[in-house]
């Protein structure tokens, strides 16, 4: 085992290398490209066996990934943002094939307007496709999660593809110290890919039976996929426990930070949760009983684990780095549905939208969120959903709009 500085992208590439991925269908897109470039260098230099092929689009890339996995090959791929959406049709398709492989998504905001900076609308748009989702907060977690994801994807009770998600720029290009497991130890943990009954031989072609007629067989296979995803909850805990025993790092389905005696909680995913920890520490120093809950698994949704953690708490502030147009934050609505009708749940569930398109969430804003939550707990009235946006930001936008108006009209009043 060695410890070096790695970007989140570099950690993802190391995860694929240590898992002994045989085939890497690829298509470049910012901010994911470093992953593909790193793997291509290793394969070209003979440092990593396998084959990397650049396809003509993400749609083709995910098709090739699913097809290869369905013939018994261990597959790794990566994408981001518009690329993930461009391949959306095939995300649903290959999950229905029950093709086990790992896809890393480097989250980036969606057009329009076009941005290169991160939020979670891309990955959460794919939450219903049948891929399992693991969300990371650190570079170490990215590497470890790729290894765990292969075990989870290939588990006999699951057999579904897995997306490992990391935030673009904030994590993809940030260098952190990362422990790189010994190759033999990592390979022993992941194990050889047992294709079971999905292997393909040219001398013995078989149909994978991809089409059905009528709602009855369609319902059967869709429900089978749903049950397989649910079974991934137990499989994940078992695999994560084995990982901790072997490598000493704990990655439960739901991470908690200073929650035991907390009365109020921040609830969020991704690398900004590390900023929330700092805010929790500062608020604790001021005497606030507050903690952080960070689901690592989003699909399957670890509802029971979350309910156990939240039981008896007074209030939760859900911080979404996404926006479901016409409704609000996706994490907030999913948490509300998981808690509805359950006994002894927090009576205040406040919604905050922040971090869209790479916008930072400052420590002061975490303090303001906590203050708003505390006030709501005392009053018993849930505050209206709120977008984190400062007066100065609004003034800057108004200045830009004025400049654009002058450029467009020559300064004439409309």
């Amino acid at each position: 085992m060695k410890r070096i500085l790695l970007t989140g992208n570099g950690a993802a590439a190391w995860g694929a290398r240590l898992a002994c991925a045989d085939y890497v269908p690829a298509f470049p897109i910012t901010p994911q490209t470093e992953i593909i470039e790193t793997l291509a260098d290793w394969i070209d230099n003979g440092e990593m066996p396998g084959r990397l092929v650049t396809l003509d689009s993400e749609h083709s890339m995910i098709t090739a990934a699913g097809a290869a996995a369905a013939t018994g090959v261990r597959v790794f791929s990566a994408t981001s943002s518009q690329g993930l959406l461009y391949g959306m049709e095939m995300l649903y398709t290959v999950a229905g094939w029950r093709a086990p492989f790992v896809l890393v998504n480097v989250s980036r905001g969606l057009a329009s307007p076009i941005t290169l900076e991160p939020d979670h609308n891309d990955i959460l748009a794919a939450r219903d496709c049948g891929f399992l989702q693991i969300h990371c907060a650190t570079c170490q977690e990215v590497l470890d999660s790729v290894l765990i994801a292969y075990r989870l994807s290939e588990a006999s009770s699951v057999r579904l593809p897995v997306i490992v998600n990391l935030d673009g720029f904030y994590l993809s290009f940030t260098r952190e110290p990362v422990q790189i497991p010994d190759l033999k130890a990592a390979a022993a943990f992941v194990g050889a890919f047992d294709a079971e009954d999905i292997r393909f031989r040219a001398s013995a072609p078989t149909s994978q039976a991809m089409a059905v007629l009528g709602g009855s067989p369609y319902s059967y296979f869709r429900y089978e996929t749903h049950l397989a995803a649910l079974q991934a909850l137990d499989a994940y805990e078992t695999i994560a426990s084995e990982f901790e025993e072997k490598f000493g790092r704990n990655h439960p389905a739901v991470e908690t930070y200073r929650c035991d005696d907390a009365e109020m909680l921040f609830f969020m995913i991704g690398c900004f949760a590390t900023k929330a920890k700092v805010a929790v520490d500062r608020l604790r120093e001021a005497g606030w009983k507050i903690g952080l809950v960070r689901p690592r698994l989003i699909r399957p949704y670890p509802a029971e684990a979350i309910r156990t953690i939240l039981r008896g708490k007074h209030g939760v502030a859900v911080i979404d780095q996404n926006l479901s147009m016409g409704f609000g934050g996706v994490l907030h609505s999913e948490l509300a549905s998981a808690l509805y009708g359950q006994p002894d749940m927090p009576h205040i569930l406040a919604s905050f939208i922040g971090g869209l398109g790479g916008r930072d969430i400052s420590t002061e804003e975490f303090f303001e969120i906590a203050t708003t939550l505390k006030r709501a707990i005392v009053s018993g009235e849930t505050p209206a959903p709120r977008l984190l946006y400062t007066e100065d930001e609004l003034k800057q936008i108004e200045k830009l709009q004025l400049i654009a108006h002058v450029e467009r009209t020559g300064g004439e009043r409309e």
Side-chain angles (χ1 to χ4, degrees):
M1 185 177 290
K2 59 183 177 182
R3 189 168 187 256
I4 63 174
L5 284 174
L6 277 180
T7 63
N9 282 345
W14 265 105
R17 176 173 172 173
L18 292 170
C20 304
D22 292 319
Y23 178 54
V24 183
F27 190 80
I29 181 171
T30 301
Q32 156 267 30
T33 306
E34 182 189 7
I35 300 173
I36 303 305
E37 290 177 337
T38 303
L39 291 171
D41 283 345
W42 286 337
I43 292 172
D44 283 349
N45 295 330
E47 299 174 63
M48 174 181 170
R51 181 166 184 174
L52 185 147
V53 178
T54 303
L55 279 298
D56 62 356
S57 71
E58 289 85 355
H59 191 282
S60 301
M61 179 188 85
I62 295 169
T63 304
T71 60
V73 175
R74 180 167 283 164
V75 178
F76 173 85
S77 192
T79 189
S80 175
S81 185
Q82 306 297 140
L84 186 71
L85 264 63
Y86 194 66
M88 183 66 79
E89 178 186 7
M90 294 312 300
L91 292 181
Y92 279 78
T93 301
V94 301
W97 293 352
R98 307 288 298 274
F101 67 95
V102 175
L103 173 71
V104 165
N105 183 65
V106 187
S107 268
R108 196 186 98 189
L110 297 170
S112 61
I114 295 173
T115 179
L116 296 179
E117 298 184 78
D119 63 37
H120 297 152
N121 261 102
D122 60 348
I123 184 63
L124 292 177
R127 71 186 190 278
D128 300 329
C129 70
F131 274 64
L132 311 180
Q133 290 193 9
I134 301 174
H135 290 249
C136 303
T138 68
C139 295
Q140 182 70 65
E141 199 176 317
V142 172
L143 189 156
D144 295 348
S145 294
V146 171
L147 299 178
I148 291 171
Y150 275 106
R151 284 283 305 276
L152 185 64
S153 177
E154 296 170 8
S156 296
S157 60
V158 180
R159 309 296 280 190
L160 284 169
V162 179
I163 294 177
V164 175
N165 196 73
L166 62 146
D167 294 88
F169 288 84
Y170 284 103
L171 198 56
S172 65
F173 298 145
T174 297
R175 291 185 184 275
E176 296 177 344
V178 175
Q179 297 271 4
I180 300 179
D182 176 74
L183 178 59
K184 289 184 179 178
F189 170 76
V190 176
F193 178 23
D194 180 1
E196 299 183 358
D197 58 352
I198 63 170
R199 59 172 54 86
F200 173 82
R201 295 292 178 269
S203 58
T206 59
S207 169
Q208 297 274 0
M210 301 304 177
V212 295
L213 294 176
S216 177
Y218 181 83
S219 300
Y220 174 84
F221 287 112
R222 296 297 289 176
Y223 192 61
E224 283 285 299
T225 304
H226 169 65
L227 294 179
L230 290 178
Q231 289 177 158
L233 284 169
D234 289 339
Y236 181 89
E237 293 299 345
T238 300
I239 295 164
S241 294
E242 289 181 26
F243 186 91
E244 184 180 11
E245 288 178 10
K246 198 169 190 65
F247 301 106
R249 293 185 290 277
N250 182 26
H251 299 299
V254 184
E255 181 191 26
T256 58
Y257 183 71
R258 306 189 76 165
C259 287
D260 288 346
D261 65 340
E263 297 174 350
M264 309 189 307
L265 297 170
F266 295 129
F267 185 97
M268 62 190 307
I269 60 174
C271 70
F272 275 14
T274 59
K275 296 169 69 78
K277 288 182 178 178
V278 174
V280 166
D281 288 342
R282 298 273 295 276
L283 287 165
R284 284 274 178 175
E285 290 170 3
W288 293 54
K289 290 186 175 181
I290 192 166
L292 166 72
V293 177
R294 178 174 70 91
R296 186 175 281 109
L297 270 182
I298 289 296
R299 285 295 181 275
Y301 194 77
E304 191 52 48
I306 291 171
R307 290 184 198 117
T308 299
I309 295 163
L310 267 56
R311 187 160 286 120
K313 307 303 183 189
H314 297 169
V316 180
V318 183
I319 304 169
D320 273 284
Q321 290 172 253
N322 65 83
L323 182 54
S324 176
M325 305 302 174
F327 191 79
V330 172
L331 294 183
H332 178 264
S333 60
E334 295 214 333
L335 180 60
S337 70
L339 302 186
Y340 181 77
Q342 299 293 322
D344 204 21
M345 289 295 121
H347 62 279
I348 298 293
L349 192 60
S351 173
F352 297 85
I353 309 291
L356 300 181
R359 183 194 179 277
D360 193 15
I361 301 176
S362 67
T363 303
E364 289 72 21
E365 285 176 316
F366 281 107
F367 295 165
E368 178 61 27
I369 291 169
T371 301
T372 302
L373 181 62
K374 190 173 188 178
R375 195 179 301 130
I377 292 170
V378 172
S379 69
E381 296 182 7
T382 299
R386 183 176 299 182
L387 174 71
L388 302 179
Y389 207 76
T390 65
E391 191 172 327
D392 284 345
E393 287 178 289
L394 182 58
K395 287 179 179 177
Q396 289 297 320
I397 282 292
E398 289 172 343
K399 285 181 182 177
L400 291 172
Q401 288 176 321
L402 182 60
I403 293 169
H405 175 74
V406 170
E407 289 291 325
R408 189 169 59 245
T409 65
E412 296 179 2
R413 291 180 177 275
E414 292 181 346

